[in-house]
Amino acid sequence: MGADPFSIVAPAQVKVLCIPVGQIRESKFRSFLERLEKDNVIPLQDVSPDSRPHKTLFSPLAFPAGRVLFDIITSAPTEAHLALSPFELFRRAFIVVGIADGGSVREESQSDNSPAKLNGKDRSDQKLSDIVIQSLLRYTERLESDFSSALVHTTIVFDCDVSNQHLPQGITVVPSPVKSKTTTIKTVLCDLTSRLLAELASFARSIQESDIIETPKAQRQNPDRPLARYTDLSRPASADPRQPLSSGANGANRNDHRMSMPAHLLENLGSRSSTPEGRPMSPANSARSPPRMLDVATGSTASPPLRPADRSRPMSRDRATMQGFGSNSLLERERNKSRGRLQIVIGSLYLLAGRWPDAVRELVDGATVAKTNSDHAWHGKALDYLLVTCILHAWAGIEFRIPQILYSAAENPSPGSLKPSKETPASSQADVTATSAAPSRDTLLQNLSSLLPESVTTIQNLYSRAWTFSEDRIPQLSFSQCGLRFARLLVVLARTDGKFTDANLGQIVLKGPPRQEGIRLTSNPFRGEIHSFLFRSFPDTGVDESLTVADRTSILAGMSTLLAELGYRRKRAYILKEILDGLIPALVEARKKGAAEMGVHPAASLASLDAALIGTRRTSREVAYGEDEIGIQGLLQAVCETYEIRPWTRLVTGPQPNDGQDEVTDESHDPERSTRNMTKSITQRAVQQIIEKYSGSTELKVDILRICINLCEALPDLEGVLRFSAELLRTSGSGIAPGPDDSGGSSSLSVEDQLRLWNNISRTVGVARQLGISQLAADYWDDFLVRGIEMVPSMTNEPIAHAKNELESVQRTRADTGTGPFLYNPFGQSTKAKKSTPLMVAGEEAAFRVVLQNLYDFDLEIESIRLASIHKDCDALPQEVTLGPYRTQTVYLTAVHPKSGQLVINGCVAKVRGCRERWFPLFNTAWSHVPDVKLLQSHYVDPPLHSRISSDSAKPSEQKGLRSLPEPTASNLVLNVISSLPSVTLKALSLSQSAIMLLEGETKTFTITLHNASASIPADFVLPTFEDSMASQLRAAMSSNELSPTDLHELQLAASNKPLRLCQTAGEEQPVIEPGKDVTFKLEVTGIPGLSNANIQISYGHLGVPRTEVKDSFHTRQISIPLTVTVNASIEIARTDLLPFSTSFAWQNQQRQYSQPNTPSIRKADSRTPTSARRHSSTPHRPKSNKGSTTGNHFQSLLSRIGLSTNGGDDKSHCLLSLDVRNSWPTPLSISIQVRSTPPSDHTNPTLPITGTNNDSIDNKPSYTVHESLQPGHTKRLLLLLPRLRLTNTTAPIPSLDPLASKKQFVISSTGKTDPRQAFRERETFWYREALLGMLHATWTEESTHRTGLVNLHKISLNARMVQTLRLPEVEVQMSISPSSFTGNTSSSAAPVTQIGANTYVVPASVPLTLTATLTNHDTAPVQPLLRLQPLLADQPYPVAMELG
């Protein structure tokens, strides 16, 4: 609330200065002013006239239809405004009202301890009322002393229930709103109006008695004297609140501030003894003039002395004397000018008093005289007042006529206006008095609106002529404010196409809200004409140095407002920049003066900080009072918006309550919806910043923001410094999210300017905290701070997801084979191999990798940054980070989620040094866009102006293109939070340094101890799995498509023999690690060539139910224990061969058995036993002991048992296996090879499973063992006697050890087209080799250390010859020779036929013999043999053996 200097009816408004007195709160004072403001229009018919005859000059009875307009102000007019009196009397405050709170005044009065008793009765209540009255009277006297220029002084006590009957004049009591009537406030204002009208009579008489009426001059004025402030009981801050108020220094010079009479009055009164009677004291028409009051004492009121500037010039130049020598003399002209000025002043008083017809009469007469005597300034002022009276008549609905002088003032009257009246100005009563032939109200309004543009132009021209052709140069303040008033009137008319309506008349008089109709380009008056007229009011400091900074700023602000309504945004920007350029030097100078008065340096003084803060609060209050009033912050904001620097709207909602102080979340709202809304606001803000960057000049925006910063520093306004410093950094930045290969995005400011701004923000926040303002902070200038968030998988405790079928497959495989999975184990793969979505475990810390962006060239200090989630129970741990200049930097943050489910991380909450804590969304993808510059103008129209100004420049297609501007896409990191898992650690390992050394085939055992570190979660699922260096090589080899079935089987067999195994008996229960307990596992490792390292992987988890009842997926963790293995060579097989063996040993043993049935089956061999076998030491196999080895001739004992099988089998055909073994270990080793009589499996049916290993348990089948000791590096050949084998169905396919291979429907050979016969030979070789390996079992022993191991016999390979040697024929042919029975020679002297071997006979010569051939079919299919006998010579080559002749 306050005076509106640009109000169109400002000359008709009586200013009422309201001063708070006593102890009163600001909110109370504000509410009291609002009650007064509601009834600020007082009809004269409700005002009681003063009964004193000398006070009836402005009696309300003369014009009951009139109205008095009150303008409630809270600050006294400055001396620059008061100096315009009597040229503009409406600028002074005629009424001064002290506003008091009834409750506070009573409390203050009760604190005075002076009890009084009357006639023995306690009358403290009556005495208390007297104290209150005395206090209020003291306040009123103080007001009269300090504001002596006012005519009416009173004190109004609000919210007081005391009756007004016994109160003295000058004190009024208003009850509370509850007890007040609808007319209570209006009655109080009517009483004030009655007193004002009475005092105006004396004031007018004092003006009439003056012989000189000056015109204010445009010259340098004295510095403004500060006025008293009444914020604490209307006393100075140093006064004692209990001392009575006195005038003091202000009261001593009371007459210095009295403006009841014009200048020079006191000096003239002192030089004359009586009032001159030579000139009339009333207007020319005495019949219509008010009664003269000659009995008024001329010295009853005082006026200020002559100003120094006025004393410096001759008195004769400003004095209008009433004596002369003729009608055309100079003195007569000056006398007429003085008379005309007096009439204009009296007319202005009638205008203030609501007597509008009397005002018209006096103003018409005064204007006529001023026009006749070329008094241009007063002529223009009279026309100004006449326009106001016409507008007031139209607003009040009173019939009137437009004065003829307004028509004659216009150089080119409007065609639609009425013709000028033939009445003279002397008969001005006819101009405002309605007659029977008066035009209608609509016609008058049309004529007034048509006349108005030309009239205001004429008035401004008259003011300009006064500057050019006379010395009556009115001050720039009056000229500019008058021009702004008329410009505002033209704008109001332009909204309604140049027509007066009841709506815009109410807006003009009552300051209602502006109309929403837009100003068209073809409006009447034209926008260009209004613009040209408005810029005539531009204040030029070089012309009038008396114009203060405050008044110049006010004028420029008014121009800015009107330019905004007209749609001239660029010119408005220029005006606003002029405001700032004028304010900064004045504020700096004022700060220097204040620092000089305090005796401190200006740079170190913050004494005015409290005043600045108070001013800020006051500005907020004033904005609440009236929409036309804004403070410094509003001005700066308007400047920035004009230069396309849009305010960065602070976020008011956030995804969670702790996301920052500027984001407030209602817990009843949906967090996801709140997050979406805030993300939408941020993305739209980013698009807005991009558009701002390419609309207008960036250099100009930077200059404007620097001016705003300088202005805030000069105030000082710490909040403004922070705000515009951050805004400057934001405006100079790119506002994009550059990609990894994008080099753009840097700020347009230099590095020095950026550092200066950053230091300025830090320093300002530090000063604010020293002053106790801890909440003051800036808004961070880059929304793209967070560029990436991802969860960092744990290297050791990363959860692994498993399906239910994986658990079932593991259980089924273990139940079938007793070992781990053969080729695929879902629990055997490491966490690195199983790449999936990272999982969080409820209640455990999770690490996140956050990528931050800083596009400025200074180190960004982030005091606190933490992850943000829409889930309120997510506990994110803050961290302090320093972000380097112009880079993207990776930091690591942690968070804990207590419950299982889904976790959505939508960004980070960061507190940058000097900035307030806020939420930053996550922008993973790059974003940058260059908008179409042609579309910016249509897009950037001020939203308030867009509804008021209709322009055809914004096409729908262009607006559609702007709406399609892509927005940055914010991302969320969605994580699955699983139930709590146990935490198992490795407690002990029996191996030192996780390393072990083995010999090839050796097996060692070791233990590992696991500890469950969880407090309440047991590990009921523990599964050890193993991975070694050979596995990857074997898998790579098996993946080749060029392998033969035999090679593939060998690789699969090698892969099935795991070097690491868990020592667990069949049927043993799975271990469970209870919370805080330990479990020990026993493992064994076997030395295999090529094994260099192994990895023990122990998967563990918490199922909570038996394994068979697991329904859904479950999660495990894995402990990885690396193991370094060194495998050295021990016994190697260098060469292998199979040799045929004669059947004679078997035949001889059988012959001895048949000839001596009672002798033991084992006899000493004859002398024909091979001597080479005597060096072998052999012993029958004893299942329970392996210590029967000797060096005797046990090989001969073995030969003596050939052919004497006890199980009825064929034990006559044998072969010799030659093995060359080598000791590669540097110490002696002994080797033992066990030979079974038959393979351990039924090899007659090769389709049965064959393990094919030499690790099978030794059964009780007849066997023998060969022992041999080998020195380091020596090679020995061992001969093993093996029975020949007969296998059926040797063409069966080679089996695959891969369980998935049996499920394949179609198998295509990878080796191309293969000969079937060759495939059959390969299969036959495979099956016989498997049978051969099944008959052998070899071990080695180091006697010194008792180390033992197995010999790898899979290096034995067979060829076709060796298979032929090992295989028994399918059709066996046995031949025998006997004497022929057909010769008839029965003589006993004939030589007998003697059999000396299995196939060797001694026969006589030339004796017929009988050759018997016996064929035995050992195959399953019948054969049709063809017997052919072919004699051959023994011991001869085949071609020679055929030559029997």
Side-chain angles (χ1 to χ4, degrees), residues 458-475:
T458 300
I459 294 172
Q460 289 293 84
N461 291 335
L462 289 174
Y463 289 154
S464 300
R465 290 176 184 177
W467 276 76
T468 307
F469 302 105
S470 67
E471 296 183 355
D472 295 335
R473 299 180 179 181
I474 63 174

Side-chain angles (χ1 to χ4, degrees), residues 477-627:
L477 173 63
S478 177
F479 178 82
S480 298
Q481 289 187 352
C482 181
L484 290 177
R485 288 175 41 242
F486 293 150
R488 176 181 288 187
L489 180 60
L490 295 176
V491 170
V492 172
L493 284 179
R495 290 199 185 98
T496 55
D497 200 12
K499 298 178 181 179
F500 277 115
T501 62
D502 294 337
N504 59 13
L505 286 173
Q507 177 188 349
I508 292 172
V509 177
L510 301 179
K511 295 191 301 183
R515 303 281 295 178
Q516 297 300 324
E517 291 85 353
I519 299 179
R520 295 180 293 106
L521 295 177
T522 59
S523 62
N524 182 22
F526 292 108
R527 287 199 312 156
E529 296 177 356
I530 301 176
H531 162 264
S532 300
F533 180 83
L534 177 61
F535 263 87
R536 296 181 62 180
S537 304
F538 184 82
D540 191 355
T541 56
V543 176
D544 186 4
E545 297 181 355
S546 64
L547 186 64
T548 62
V549 176
D551 292 335
R552 184 175 186 272
T553 302
S554 176
I555 294 171
L556 292 176
M559 294 182 63
S560 170
T561 303
L562 294 178
L563 287 173
E565 295 185 8
L566 292 173
Y568 292 99
R569 297 176 62 248
R570 292 185 179 180
K571 290 183 173 59
R572 179 174 181 259
Y574 168 76
I575 295 298
L576 292 176
K577 188 173 182 297
E578 284 291 323
I579 293 176
L580 299 183
D581 291 339
L583 282 177
I584 293 177
L587 291 174
V588 172
E589 185 67 23
R591 187 172 180 180
K592 291 180 179 179
K593 292 181 178 180
E597 293 176 359
M598 296 177 59
V600 296
H601 192 275
S605 174
L606 283 176
S608 58
L609 177 62
D610 293 338
L613 296 177
I614 293 174
T616 303
R617 292 192 295 269
R618 182 180 177 184
T619 299
S620 301
R621 181 176 70 249
E622 292 176 352
V623 171
Y625 289 163
E627 295 181 355

